[in-house]
Amino acid sequence: MAFNPQGFRTIDFIGSVDGSAGSNRKIHAYITNDDTSALQTAGYFNSIAGRVLKGDIIFASLDLDGTPMLRNYVISSNTGGVVAIAAQNVA
């Protein structure tokens, strides 16, 4: 499947590491019927590149029409409209 912006929300802002307002990061939530392999496909979050920054956190509730699960991701890069994520709760 493809990213569905209706399931994506910014929850809050996190303080900055250097005290400047421009370096704030965000916590996001995302709910979807997609599974982990779909979310981790290159380019999945590209359509929201303007809304996310490197270091932002995404709490994802996945596979709601199958076996629901929670996965946490961090935006590992966002360059030129290409967003990459890294799974944070890996076994």
Side-chain angles (χ1 to χ4, degrees):
M1 290 187 154
F3 174 77
N4 181 351
Q6 291 180 328
F8 188 85
R9 297 287 181 269
T10 299
I11 300 171
D12 204 353
F13 292 84
I14 306 169
S16 63
V17 294
D18 64 4
S20 67
S23 69
N24 287 340
R25 294 301 181 260
K26 295 168 265 187
I27 299 173
H28 308 279
Y30 182 53
I31 59 170
T32 182
N33 287 329
D34 292 347
D35 61 16
T36 55
S37 62
L39 242 70
Q40 295 174 20
T41 301
Y44 187 88
F45 288 101
N46 286 356
S47 65
I48 57 164
R51 295 179 57 187
V52 297
L53 298 171
K54 180 180 176 182
D56 281 5
I57 297 166
I58 300 173
F59 298 121
S61 183
L62 307 172
D63 201 9
L64 297 180
D65 61 350
T67 304
M69 64 185 74
L70 174 67
R71 293 291 184 258
N72 300 313
Y73 298 93
V74 65
I75 304 294
S76 57
S77 67
N78 182 355
T79 307
V82 178
V83 176
I85 62 171
Q88 297 304 296
N89 49 336
V90 293

